Amino acid sequence: MRAAIPLIVFFLVFFTIGCVKQGEDMQETAASPSPAAEERPAAVPVHEEKSVEWAANRLLEISNRYFERLEAAQAADLPFEKFRIQISGDMTDHFISEEKMEEFYQVRVGLTALYLFHYEPGALAARTTILEQNAERIVVKTMWFANELNSGYYEISTLINQEGKWLLDERQREELTEKGFQLSIEEATIYMKAFPFYEKPVTTVEYVDTIQLEDAPGEYGRFYQFMCDGNPYYISPVDGYVLHKKMENVR
């Protein structure tokens, strides 16, 4: 019996060491990531696509806030650098420089290209197209209707994402082809409902007919006629030029 005691002790020690070693191996296995896990790329944030309506509303918001702040800043005789800080939440330094905003701010009088920076809600709602979109930039194509100074044209506006804010970074003009916009009656109706030169908001717009001016043959002499709250208005489907009553200019 005494001879068996050392043998029993030996087996107990051997068994204990084995259990400790096995526990350490299990901990190392759990702690060490697999090669596949080490090679797995970091998760990329999912880009939430913006709608055409969102893009149009953002451009309109930038335009409206710019002119509101411009009027207030000039009335308070603020230096341009302080005004620049106010508008930096809506447009980039690149845009401010390219559009020569400081020059326009200092002169304060006369018509410049920036005077037509106003986006018209009707044109945005009638036809706006997103040409390119990713997490960093959105490129938007919008209509600009004709007035006394310009024929109708398209504008390509670029918004870029800076720390979660979409800022206007660039705008380029694209001339119309000879066929022009070719507005549908539906698009023209949408625009007339938000026509920016009405004295009061329009509640009803009814398409009446298409007329052709005798002294202006061809596409540019064709107009859609609408009754807007009982008053006749005319819009060119080619360049978006608007006339009213006796074909008088309203621009």
Side-chain angles (χ1 to χ4, degrees):
M1 183 66 180
R2 289 181 179 178
I5 291 175
L7 185 60
I8 293 172
V9 172
F10 173 80
F11 279 113
L12 287 173
V13 172
F14 180 82
F15 180 78
T16 303
I17 294 173
C19 290
V20 172
K21 178 63 176 174
Q22 186 178 8
E24 291 175 351
D25 291 343
M26 291 176 65
Q27 289 179 356
E28 291 177 0
T29 302
S32 301
S34 65
E38 291 179 350
E39 296 174 0
R40 189 179 299 126
V44 178
V46 177
H47 167 56
E48 180 183 350
E49 286 201 352
K50 304 297 186 183
S51 66
V52 169
E53 183 180 9
W54 180 93
N57 287 338
R58 179 57 181 146
L59 291 175
L60 188 61
E61 178 183 45
I62 291 172
S63 175
N64 289 342
R65 290 208 296 214
Y66 166 75
F67 280 98
E68 289 170 2
R69 290 167 174 166
L70 175 66
E71 183 178 359
Q74 290 182 336
D77 203 24
L78 289 181
F80 178 75
E81 286 308 313
K82 288 189 176 181
F83 177 62
R84 175 193 286 269
I85 294 173
Q86 292 181 358
I87 61 177
S88 62
D90 287 319
M91 54 197 70
T92 64
D93 287 339
H94 172 258
F95 184 84
I96 292 172
S97 175
E98 286 294 309
E99 295 294 331
K100 299 180 180 178
M101 288 189 167
E102 182 173 6
E103 179 181 337
F104 177 73
Y105 185 83
Q106 302 296 351
V107 173
R108 303 191 182 195
V109 293
L111 297 176
T112 71
L114 197 59
Y115 178 80
L116 300 176
F117 175 60
H118 263 304
Y119 289 92
E120 295 177 352
L124 291 172
R127 188 186 297 174
T128 293
T129 307
I130 294 179
L131 303 180
E132 176 187 339
Q133 178 173 181
N134 55 47
E136 286 76 36
R137 57 188 255 137
I138 299 174
V139 181
V140 187
K141 186 174 183 178
T142 59
M143 290 190 300
W144 285 61
F145 287 149
N147 54 38
E148 297 97 327
L149 301 177
N150 291 280
S151 59
Y153 63 96
Y154 282 108
E155 184 162 285
I156 312 298
S157 303
T158 300
L159 296 164
I160 66 170
N161 189 349
Q162 286 191 358
E163 299 180 352
K165 292 183 178 180
W166 289 95
L167 310 182
L168 185 58
D169 185 59
E170 189 175 47
R171 64 187 187 127
Q172 297 177 341
R173 177 168 170 160
E174 180 182 293
E175 301 298 337
L176 294 179
T177 63
E178 291 184 2
K179 293 183 178 181
F181 291 125
Q182 290 297 303
L183 293 177
S184 67
I185 294 173
E186 291 75 18
E187 288 175 325
T189 302
I190 291 170
Y191 181 73
M192 295 304 291
K193 287 182 178 179
F195 184 52
F197 291 87
Y198 289 131
E199 294 181 0
K200 57 183 179 179
V202 174
T203 57
T204 61
V205 176
E206 180 184 359
Y207 172 67
V208 178
D209 200 358
T210 299
I211 65 172
Q212 181 76 39
L213 299 183
E214 295 181 0
D215 57 346
E219 287 292 308
Y220 282 89
R222 185 165 62 96
F223 283 80
Y224 295 142
Q225 180 181 356
F226 292 92
M227 294 301 293
C228 302
D229 284 353
N231 296 311
Y233 280 82
Y234 308 85
I235 180 171
S236 166
V238 178
D239 63 0
Y241 201 81
V242 177
L243 303 172
H244 76 128
K245 296 183 179 178
K246 297 180 181 180
M247 304 299 285
E248 296 172 347
N249 187 351
V250 295
R251 296 275 182 142

